[in-house]
Amino acid sequence: MAQFLENRIAKIPIENYRSFSIIAHVDHGKSSLSTFFLELTGVIKPGGKRQILDKLDVEQERGITVKAQTVTMIYKKGKEEGKDEGGHVDFRAEVARSYASCEGALLLVDASQGVQAQTAAHFYLAFSQGLQIIPVINKIDLPSADVPRALEQLQSNFELDPAKAVLVSAKTGANVEAALLSVIDQIPCPLGDKTKPLKLLLLDSWYSNYKGVILLVRVFDGQVRAGDHLISFATGLSYHVGEVGIMYPNETKQNLLRSGQIGYLYFNPGMKRSQEAKSGDTFTHVGNETKISALPGFEEPRSMIFVAAFPVDQGEYHKIEDRILKIALNDRNITIQKISSEALGAGWRLGFLGTLHCSVFEDRLRQEHSSSIIITPPSVPFKVKWKDGSEVILHNPAEFPDHDTTHNRVLELQEPYVFINIAIPAEYLGKVIELCEANRGEQKELQFFTSTQVILKYLLPLAQLVEDFFGKFLGVTKGFGKLDYEDAGFRQSNLVKLQLLVNKIPVDAVARIVHTSQVERLGRQWVNKFRENVNRQMFEIVIQAMARNKIVARSSIKPFRKDVLEKLHASDISRRKKLLEKQKEGRKKLKAVGNVVIDHKAFQAFLAK
């Protein structure tokens, strides 16, 4: 089979190659359409598994595409390379990577739902990279399908000609072949020369226990085969190629990869550290470094959602860390940093592209590795400038100077800030400004890019960004907004240490550094939430939130109460009062000597997001 494929591909000129992506909003039918393409081109047998390119359990379970997949298809006299791409904004990195290897894209729109937020996001990203875009209206077989509305939206939103749209049903297979023919007719062939020095772009990578890091590459010029000696422009490290091949639909070994092709390769000895495989890197043969220039690559997206994660059982720390790192090997968009907490022990600060990305990570950890973690809001560092001229960056609230020290020795307190760049439709401008102002943002620029698009620039505290600012932003813009940020250093801020007191004893494990404007709101939240997770005692428990030696919120848990009057049916009132006073005195004594034992699960429940 592999040799048969090799011979067929060798006869196909680069003019007959087509590289394209299928992009869409979540659940608009990318995987179903891809499956029909694979059946039409003979890659898989008809009537088999429908979502063959959704390989993760969480993809099958949720019906979403998390990881972009590549497959080679041979159709008639042409050779085509197609990619089934992630369609959710949380996985924009997968879409960006696919665009770097394609000349065109099928923009898939659900006829019953019309243009959605991520349809627009993917279109503008593809348009900015000069890709040929073919509109495809899917699910035309549904009773609720409104094809004229979908066509009108494509024209009004993206200025795409409705006459060029292909109407298909990825469920019944109706008109799917016409979509494949439109790829051949409208998308240009890749540019490349197999006689030039090798120039290949690293698109993606995943980890194999037996082969090490496997690279997904696009060959722009030259050709590569097993035994070649390659060098990376990004790291300067060199490797010997162990095997090359194409995805058909799984890894299929080939003798070589030519210019215009997309395929995989791994090294022998294998690349053991995934950090060496930098997406967007350029590789060439050793000795040709000066003969070619590095490809521009593509910008990797920043983490937008941050959480602090801790093992349920600290004895499982090292095992869970290994499992998290294994998932990170195949998901390069997760950032990991070690942290510690007095209440929950050692853990990690994890960064994700969005809330769905975080949720998928939790599902994969549970399904693939049978592990669970406690997700809590993350903390950020703060800087203390002393009056003697020295300064120190602190990460633990326990190290925060007390009220008297702050007054006598501290010159100023600083917290980290970020510059955020926001692009939104004009209709959401008011809500976004309200959101930024509510999160202590400082407006730096407001510009109308077009009559309908607005560019906003804000200076925002990092502590507000990591508290699900991105999730709230997507909520107010209904997914149509774009946000990016960059570090802005430390700035002076009015910070205080918010503490929780249980019967006037500080619970240092849940202390936190916050801005004074948030003290009362957070204080009320803390005492109410902690009250729900502390067991009732035989005496009253008073829960307080304190900042700068001032109580900002208070709540109490009433004690269990024994009915001492139960046996007195017709006794004198003075006898009843005497017993009640005696009970009251006993409770005062018990409160004076009794300790509130706070179970570890109470901390987990209180800190969990």
Side-chain angles (χ1 to χ4, degrees):
M1 179 65 175
Q3 189 58 48
F4 173 72
L5 276 173
E6 184 86 34
N7 295 335
R8 287 190 70 185
I9 293 171
K11 296 176 183 178
I12 301 173
I14 193 172
E15 291 77 14
N16 288 352
Y17 286 19
R18 298 292 184 271
S19 297
F20 68 97
S21 297
I22 302 176
I23 54 174
H25 188 79
V26 64
D27 199 32
H28 277 207
K30 299 176 301 298
S31 298
S32 301
L33 183 62
S34 301
T35 303
F36 267 109
F37 281 173
L38 298 182
E39 291 179 354
L40 279 170
T41 54
V43 178
I44 61 174
K45 294 180 180 179
K49 185 179 176 184
R50 297 310 304 162
Q51 292 181 315
I52 192 168
L53 294 180
D54 288 340
K55 297 179 179 179
L56 298 176
D57 290 340
V58 69
E59 291 179 317
Q60 296 284 345
E61 188 178 286
R62 293 190 177 208
I64 59 175
T65 303
V66 173
K67 194 70 179 165
Q69 302 294 340
T70 302
V71 64
T72 297
M73 300 177 288
I74 301 175
Y75 180 72
K76 292 184 178 179
K77 295 181 181 179
K79 172 176 177 294
E80 303 189 3
E81 309 240 19
K83 279 172 164 281
D84 181 38
E85 297 306 336
H88 197 278
V89 69
D90 283 356
F91 308 111
R92 185 171 179 266
E94 300 296 316
V95 180
R97 274 196 279 267
S98 72
Y99 286 171
S101 61
C102 297
E103 279 71 46
L106 295 180
L107 183 67
L108 203 61
V109 177
D110 187 328
S112 62
Q113 297 184 36
V115 171
Q116 300 285 300
Q118 289 6 292
T119 314
H122 298 329
F123 168 81
Y124 288 121
L125 186 59
F127 184 76
S128 67
Q129 297 194 18
L131 299 189
Q132 178 67 40
I133 300 171
I134 302 173
V136 178
I137 307 298
N138 189 25
K139 302 187 182 182
I140 58 173
D141 58 305
L142 293 180
S144 58
D146 189 347
V147 175
R149 184 194 63 164
L151 292 172
E152 191 276 329
Q153 288 178 338
L154 285 172
Q155 185 175 31
S156 60
N157 289 318
F158 311 133
E159 297 182 0
L160 293 174
D161 186 359
K164 294 184 178 180
V166 186
L167 311 183
V168 305
S169 169
K171 181 179 180 181
T172 65
N175 216 27
V176 167
E177 192 166 6
L180 200 55
L181 290 171
S182 69
V183 170
I184 298 169
D185 296 336
Q186 298 184 42
I187 294 178
C189 66
L191 301 175
D193 188 344
K194 64 181 180 181
T195 62
K196 288 185 177 181
L198 176 68
K199 183 189 289 188
L200 64 82
L201 177 69
L202 173 55
L203 302 173
D204 199 1
S205 62
W206 60 93
Y207 190 80
S208 165
N209 290 330
Y210 304 102
K211 301 173 182 178
V213 180
I214 301 175
L215 311 182
L216 182 69
V217 298
R218 160 76 185 266
V219 183
F220 282 87
D221 287 318
Q223 52 190 24
V224 59
R225 65 181 75 227
D228 285 359
H229 195 192
L230 305 186
I231 187 169
S232 161
F233 272 65
T235 65
L237 299 174
S238 61
Y239 311 89
H240 287 91
V241 179
E243 180 181 305
V244 300
I246 58 174
M247 307 300 290
Y248 193 82
N250 300 314
E251 294 169 18
T252 304
K253 183 179 177 181
Q254 301 283 281
N255 290 326
L256 59 86
L257 291 176
R258 303 169 179 81
S259 60
Q261 280 192 275
I262 302 169
Y264 74 90
L265 62 84
Y266 64 83
F267 302 116
N268 187 15
M271 180 188 287
K272 297 301 181 186
R273 296 175 62 249
S274 66
Q275 289 79 5
E276 296 174 21
K278 299 183 180 297
S279 298
D281 189 8
T282 303
F283 283 79
T284 189
H285 288 122
V286 171
N288 286 346
E289 299 93 315
T290 58
K291 296 179 182 178
I292 70 166
S293 56
L295 292 162
F298 40 87
E299 182 182 358
E300 287 290 341
R302 291 176 175 269
S303 298
M304 292 293 178
I305 298 292
F306 298 90
V307 299
F310 301 90
V312 177
D313 179 3
Q314 278 294 314
E316 298 284 315
Y317 175 83
H318 293 292
K319 287 183 181 178
I320 293 180
E321 183 175 42
D322 289 341
R323 291 162 185 170
I324 289 175
L325 291 174
K326 280 184 180 178
I327 294 177
L329 285 174
N330 292 326
D331 188 346
R332 304 290 300 280
N333 301 308
I334 300 172
T335 60
I336 304 171
Q337 182 182 352
K338 291 185 178 181
I339 58 172
S340 64
S341 163
E342 287 190 37
L344 302 176
W348 312 271
R349 183 187 181 203
L350 305 176
F352 301 97
L353 301 181
T355 50
L356 181 59
H357 190 202
C358 178
S359 177
V360 165
F361 169 81
E362 281 191 86
D363 286 350
R364 290 188 65 188
L365 191 64
R366 186 179 63 257
Q367 293 172 356
E368 299 173 22
H369 301 282
S370 302
S371 300
S372 296
I373 52 176
I374 301 166
I375 298 291
T376 71
S379 59
V380 299
F382 52 92
K383 183 185 285 188
V384 179
K385 281 194 171 185
W386 304 99
K387 289 183 179 179
D388 62 6
S390 62
E391 57 184 52
V392 62
I393 295 177
L394 304 177
H395 296 268
N396 194 332
E399 301 169 339
F400 192 81
D402 58 38
H403 182 64
D404 293 334
T405 304
T406 303
H407 187 266
N408 295 325
R409 295 179 51 206
V410 174
L411 180 63
E412 67 178 41
L413 299 168
Q414 297 183 344
E415 66 175 325
Y417 273 71
V418 290
F419 279 114
I420 59 170
N421 299 304
I422 296 172
I424 51 170
E427 60 189 285
Y428 302 115
L429 178 61
K431 291 182 178 179
V432 171
I433 289 177
E434 285 180 16
L435 176 67
C436 293
E437 299 291 341
N439 284 272
R440 299 194 286 132
E442 183 182 327
Q443 189 180 118
K444 293 297 181 183
E445 188 177 331
L446 191 159
Q447 177 184 352
F448 276 83
F449 183 66
T450 66
S451 59
T452 58
Q453 286 286 111
V454 182
I455 304 295
L456 273 173
K457 293 187 178 181
Y458 264 87
L459 191 64
L460 193 78
L462 179 61
Q464 302 299 128
L465 179 71
V466 300
E467 276 206 355
D468 199 24
F469 179 85
F470 185 61
K472 296 171 186 173
F473 171 74
L474 289 181
V476 299
T477 61
K478 298 181 181 177
F480 284 93
K482 295 180 183 178
L483 184 149
D484 194 14
Y485 66 90
E486 58 187 52
D487 182 37
F490 284 84
R491 289 168 59 93
Q492 183 176 358
S493 187
N494 198 1
L495 302 176
V496 295
K497 180 179 178 180
L498 183 62
Q499 287 182 293
L500 200 68
L501 308 181
V502 177
N503 280 357
K504 300 184 180 180
I505 299 175
V507 184
D508 292 330
V510 294
R512 187 171 163 193
I513 308 305
V514 299
H515 191 265
T516 50
S517 63
Q518 297 181 302
V519 165
E520 291 190 12
R521 177 181 62 84
L522 279 176
R524 286 193 295 270
Q525 287 181 4
W526 277 23
V527 296
N528 291 331
K529 189 173 182 181
F530 203 71
R531 178 184 176 182
E532 296 170 1
N533 296 291
V534 175
N535 293 328
R536 201 174 173 191
Q537 306 286 337
M538 291 300 294
F539 51 89
E540 184 182 35
I541 301 174
V542 178
I543 303 172
Q544 299 168 307
M546 182 180 75
R548 287 181 175 171
N549 295 334
K550 178 184 176 183
I551 303 300
V552 294
R554 182 189 187 280
S555 186
S556 61
I557 302 174
K558 298 299 181 183
F560 289 116
R561 184 172 181 179
K562 182 181 177 182
D563 187 3
V564 293
L565 307 179
E566 184 179 7
K567 297 180 181 179
L568 302 179
H569 299 291
S571 61
D572 184 68
I573 187 66
S574 59
R575 174 66 175 159
R576 291 171 177 263
K577 286 184 178 180
K578 184 178 180 182
L579 285 174
L580 290 173
E581 288 297 324
K582 189 176 180 181
Q583 184 186 44
K584 190 183 294 184
E585 291 298 322
R587 288 195 180 280
K588 285 183 182 179
K589 187 181 292 185
L590 183 61
K591 186 176 180 180
V593 299
N595 291 321
V596 181
V597 179
I598 302 172
D599 187 69
H600 186 67
K601 290 182 179 178
F603 284 120
Q604 292 182 358
F606 172 73
L607 293 172
K609 251 187 159 181

